[in-house]
Amino acid sequence: MRRFIGLFQFQNEANLLDSKTYILKSFLAVATAYGLAVNNDIIRRDMISVLFGLMLTLEPVTLTGIRHGWHQMYATILGALSTAAIISIFGINIITISLSVAFTLYVCLKINWREVSPVAIFTSIYMTQYVQVTETGEPSILLTIQLRLMALGAGIIIAILFNLLFSFFSYGKMTNKRISFLFKSIVEHMEKTLDALKTNDFSGLEENQRGMSKSFNNIDWVYGFLRDMEEEKRIKNRIIGGSAEDMGNLIEIVMDLRSICHLNYDISLSLLRNEEERKLIHDNQGGMVERFQHITFRMRLLKEGFSMEDSRNFSRKNNIQQHEHGKNEHSRVLESLYEMEALTTLLEYRIGNLKRFD
């Protein structure tokens, strides 16, 4: 029975990202958007844009949602104008449909060569496949653009309102959960590196490195999320709670975690590509393993502290032994371990001084 129930339960990572809250917010927002749009004579013609724009704008932080909503509107105007310029002159046919998409791609890449907006491309296709007609039955580019912008705007506005509404009761633990999510993945990467050091089997480190690459993206995502919260905090201090100092401290914690993940990546890279490093580790394996094991253990305690949200002073209460640096040891791996050890101590200090742990 437990296995059957387990099939429907989220993994721990999904719970740390408030997946249940997101599903509930999506359900209520979609129901509200559909209920309002279906009663509007114009907007109900394009329910897809309403709901699509809504889902792309639902975000845990209101300011992030506003930014994504603006990007959608900007991309829609870009796609609409690019396509309108072509079909207004040459009409709609196999050539102009293809040319409209290609020209929209060109404009997107011209503005930002790193990114092509799916919303702009969707709008380009929309303009040729969902053309609105006037009362006299004539195709109208202006009416098509108007419908797209009104429907999309309605979905974005409703999403922003729900982001704001849910922020009143979800901001409290949101930051802790996301940092716990980062701790979990980083500690898992460290444990895999530690296993390689213990066994002298480095075959699994390439896969571990690929996982760390994903973790870098997650860290940057949480960092941006916290920056938006910090900006929004100035406007809605009572909603978010805590002090500006705490928010800054949380941002520094995320950056420290990024540095630790980067050092672990460097250690893995050295172990994979440098035979001299592997020989040095083999000759001095006990010291290397012991040092990395202590760092991993301390990071595991920090992870558990965030997960349990209990009161503990990591910098004083745990009394984890600090290793002295060897005078005559020269190794890229060992240098990374020294830095990682210092950053772990800094993390213990930062987390120990968060008011959440008072």
Side-chain angles (χ1 to χ4, degrees):
M1 186 63 181
R2 286 185 179 180
R3 290 182 180 179
F4 178 76
I5 296 174
L7 293 174
F8 299 95
Q9 291 179 334
F10 286 120
Q11 293 183 353
N12 187 39
E13 290 85 349
N15 287 324
L16 290 175
L17 295 179
D18 294 306
S19 296
K20 294 177 182 178
T21 302
Y22 178 67
I23 291 173
L24 175 63
K25 181 164 70 171
S26 300
F27 174 83
L28 295 175
V30 168
T32 302
Y34 187 87
L36 293 175
V38 77
N39 292 306
N40 184 288
D41 291 337
I42 298 177
I43 296 178
R44 69 180 180 184
R45 300 175 190 171
D46 185 17
M47 200 66 71
I48 291 176
S49 290
V50 175
L51 301 182
F52 189 62
L54 168 81
M55 292 306 300
L56 289 182
T57 311
L58 285 178
E59 290 285 345
V61 179
T62 309
L63 187 61
T64 309
I66 293 173
R67 185 179 292 111
H68 285 181
W70 163 245
H71 287 166
Q72 285 191 75
M73 293 298 290
Y74 174 80
T76 294
I77 293 171
L78 182 68
L81 293 179
S82 299
T83 304
I86 293 174
I87 65 175
S88 61
I89 300 174
F90 302 106
I92 299 175
N93 54 61
I94 186 171
I95 300 298
T96 56
I97 292 173
S98 304
L99 187 59
S100 296
V101 173
F103 184 66
T104 302
L105 280 171
Y106 167 77
V107 174
C108 288
L109 292 171
K110 185 70 175 176
I111 294 172
N112 183 0
W113 64 271
R114 292 177 179 272
E115 181 180 355
V116 173
S117 171
V119 176
I121 300 302
F122 175 82
T123 303
S124 177
I125 297 170
Y126 177 100
M127 289 289 295
T128 62
Q129 301 301 307
Y130 204 64
V131 180
Q132 299 299 298
V133 295
T134 63
E135 293 180 355
T136 59
E138 293 293 325
S140 172
I141 295 174
L142 290 178
L143 284 179
T144 306
I145 294 176
Q146 180 188 39
L147 174 61
R148 170 66 174 157
L149 290 176
M150 286 183 64
L152 182 65
I156 290 171
I157 291 171
I158 292 170
I160 290 172
L161 292 175
F162 270 89
N163 290 338
L164 178 63
L165 176 64
F166 272 72
S167 71
F168 281 91
F169 59 86
S170 64
Y171 272 8
K173 297 182 179 181
M174 193 185 299
T175 54
N176 297 333
K177 285 186 175 181
R178 275 156 177 72
I179 293 177
S180 293
F181 169 74
L182 297 182
F183 264 112
K184 184 178 185 302
S185 61
I186 290 171
V187 169
E188 286 176 354
H189 297 319
M190 292 177 68
E191 287 173 341
K192 290 177 182 178
T193 306
L194 177 61
D195 287 340
L197 285 170
K198 284 181 176 179
T199 61
N200 279 325
D201 180 6
F202 308 119
S203 58
L205 289 182
E206 286 190 8
E207 183 180 351
N208 194 29
Q209 282 188 309
R210 287 193 290 270
M212 280 187 271
S213 297
K214 295 178 182 178
S215 292
F216 285 129
N217 292 332
N218 292 332
I219 291 169
D220 291 341
W221 171 66
V222 173
Y223 175 80
F225 154 81
L226 289 176
R227 280 297 188 191
D228 283 348
M229 280 192 73
E230 183 183 41
E231 184 68 25
E232 194 171 323
K233 188 181 187 308
R234 301 170 187 172
I235 305 170
K236 304 186 310 178
N237 188 56
R238 292 183 179 179
I239 298 174
I240 299 175
S243 64
E245 182 181 357
D246 271 347
M247 183 58 66
N249 209 6
L250 289 169
I251 291 172
E252 291 299 326
I253 287 170
V254 171
M255 295 312 294
D256 289 342
L257 288 174
R258 196 184 202 288
S259 297
I260 288 173
C261 191
H262 196 285
L263 289 167
N264 190 25
Y265 189 94
D266 286 346
I267 290 172
S268 297
L269 193 63
S270 295
L271 294 174
L272 282 169
R273 297 187 178 180
N274 194 324
E275 293 184 8
E276 292 182 3
E277 290 282 0
R278 291 199 292 269
K279 184 177 183 302
L280 180 60
I281 290 168
H282 183 268
D283 294 341
N284 187 26
Q285 188 182 33
M288 291 277 197
V289 172
E290 185 181 0
R291 187 182 296 277
F292 200 95
Q293 198 161 13
H294 274 286
I295 297 171
T296 306
F297 175 67
R298 291 161 66 189
M299 287 291 292
R300 195 180 297 121
L301 286 178
L302 291 171
K303 180 198 75 170
E304 291 171 357
F306 258 92
S307 299
M308 295 185 294
E309 298 181 12
D310 58 1
S311 297
R312 60 173 68 190
N313 189 321
F314 294 98
S315 58
R316 305 179 188 90
K317 191 173 178 181
N318 293 318
N319 295 321
I320 304 301
Q321 179 186 357
Q322 299 284 326
H323 289 274
E324 295 296 330
H325 294 187
K327 294 181 179 179
N328 299 315
E329 294 170 312
H330 299 285
S331 164
R332 178 67 181 272
V333 171
L334 198 57
E335 288 174 3
S336 296
L337 286 175
Y338 291 160
E339 285 190 63
M340 191 181 290
E341 195 169 53
L343 284 166
T344 304
T345 301
L346 186 58
L347 275 173
E348 290 168 344
Y349 173 79
R350 293 191 196 282
I351 296 173
N353 284 279
L354 284 174
K355 289 185 178 179
R356 180 172 71 85
F357 292 98
D358 288 347

